[in-house]
Amino acid sequence: MRKFKDHVLRGLLWFSAFLTVAILVTIVGFIFMKGYKLISFDFIFGDYSADGHGGIWPMIVTTLYTIGISLLIATPIGILAAVYLQEYAKQGRLVRLIRYATESLTGIPSIIYGLFGAVFFVTTLKLGMSIISASLTLTIIVLPVIIRTTEEALKTVPGSYREGSLALGSTKLQTLYKVILPSAMPGILSGIILSIGRIVGESAAIFLTAGTVAAMPASIFSSARTLTVHSYLVTQESGDIQLAAAIGIVLIVIILFLNLTTTFISKKFNKADY
């Protein structure tokens, strides 16, 4: 009976894994089948034209701007907040409340963040519909992800590392940035990978804060549209699924490249630990 249960459980695990991979392959395969014919040098690096065709280079630049600015702001704040909560703060009711608030923020719909960004960054701070307004809004969106993943990464560092470093005469700060953070870096980078996916996939928040201008941004204070917003508008306005799928292929390649780069850096840190 026990062997039968083990076989059933193993079968369910294999089935779940196969189903997950099958769904992923189906979605990606559909997008590639629909849009690969439009992929060309002019499509990727050309300027957008008023007739709805042309290139998507302005949208690629805007997407990279939002990723870079959002991570540049959110990563240090998120890591420092997690370090304080895990390494310095007295574990009590206040810390539990902060953790609960952080976890709750991850479940808020992005449209709510977009409305907040439109009211606070666009109107109150008078930043206007711009890349910086969208990036600041996205910073708030990904901040809980970075904080929670960094905290979990810090928890995986063995206590003996801390004790050994302190026993050798290092201060707590030296132990933190020379021992604990390097050891936790692979987990921290995993949180950054998740944040990249969240930033690239956002549309509602960016739609309400960056605008929909399909032109090369002159600066981070210019209104522009990302690839996700462009794909949505193309589908809504013209129903051109082929063009939307081609944009989706570019998005997949960008995410894949950024994820592989971050994973490569993570592996370097793992090797350095040994």
Side-chain angles (χ1 to χ4, degrees):
M1 187 64 180
R2 182 177 297 177
K3 288 185 177 180
F4 174 74
K5 290 181 179 179
D6 288 342
H7 287 310
V8 171
L9 180 59
R10 186 177 298 176
L12 289 174
L13 291 174
W14 276 103
F15 174 75
S16 300
F18 173 78
L19 184 62
T20 302
V21 174
I23 293 173
L24 176 63
V25 171
T26 301
I27 294 173
V28 174
F30 174 81
I31 293 173
F32 271 84
M33 288 295 293
K34 285 289 184 180
Y36 78 94
K37 292 182 180 179
L38 292 182
I39 300 296
S40 65
F41 183 86
D42 291 335
F43 175 75
I44 296 175
F45 296 101
D47 289 329
Y48 182 75
S49 58
D51 59 1
H53 297 285
I56 58 172
W57 182 243
M59 281 64 81
I60 293 176
V61 172
T62 302
T63 301
L64 295 177
Y65 266 140
T66 55
I67 294 173
I69 297 171
S70 301
L71 290 181
L72 189 64
I73 300 172
T75 300
I77 295 175
I79 292 175
L80 291 175
V83 167
Y84 173 76
L85 291 173
Q86 185 61 33
E87 302 291 331
Y88 287 93
K90 183 179 179 181
Q91 302 302 311
R93 183 176 299 177
L94 179 60
V95 172
R96 288 197 298 270
L97 179 63
I98 294 173
R99 286 199 178 103
Y100 176 76
T102 303
E103 292 171 356
S104 299
L105 284 172
T106 60
I108 296 178
S110 59
I111 187 68
I112 304 299
Y113 286 109
L115 291 171
F116 170 79
V119 172
F120 185 68
F121 297 121
V122 175
T123 305
T124 305
L125 297 184
K126 302 185 185 303
L127 295 175
M129 289 280 202
S130 60
I131 294 174
I132 188 64
S133 296
S135 299
L136 291 172
T137 305
L138 290 170
T139 297
I140 300 174
I141 293 175
V142 301
L143 199 54
V145 177
I146 295 177
I147 292 175
R148 292 302 297 147
T149 53
T150 301
E151 271 198 275
E152 294 302 319
L154 292 173
K155 289 179 182 178
T156 63
V157 179
S160 58
Y161 286 20
R162 297 173 175 84
E163 295 168 0
S165 177
L166 294 172
L168 291 172
S170 300
T171 63
K172 190 167 185 177
L173 182 60
Q174 289 173 328
T175 301
L176 177 65
Y177 74 83
K178 288 186 177 181
V179 178
I180 298 175
L181 283 179
S183 300
M185 192 57 66
I188 295 172
L189 291 175
S190 297
I192 294 175
I193 291 174
L194 294 174
S195 300
I196 291 173
R198 185 75 188 270
I199 292 170
V200 174
E202 284 298 333
S203 57
I206 298 175
F207 184 84
L208 294 173
T209 53
T212 60
V213 175
M216 181 67 71
S219 69
I220 60 174
F221 297 98
S222 302
S223 179
R225 68 169 72 172
T226 61
L227 286 169
T228 310
V229 173
H230 185 53
S231 179
Y232 164 74
L233 292 174
V234 165
T235 306
Q236 182 191 47
E237 294 172 359
S238 62
D240 193 342
I241 300 298
Q242 187 180 26
L243 179 56
I247 297 170
I249 293 173
V250 176
L251 270 172
I252 291 172
V253 172
I254 290 175
I255 295 173
L256 184 62
F257 173 77
L258 293 174
N259 287 357
L260 288 175
T261 302
T262 312
T263 303
F264 174 77
I265 297 172
S266 177
K267 288 182 178 180
K268 287 293 184 181
F269 275 101
N270 272 330
K271 290 180 179 178
D273 289 340
Y274 294 105

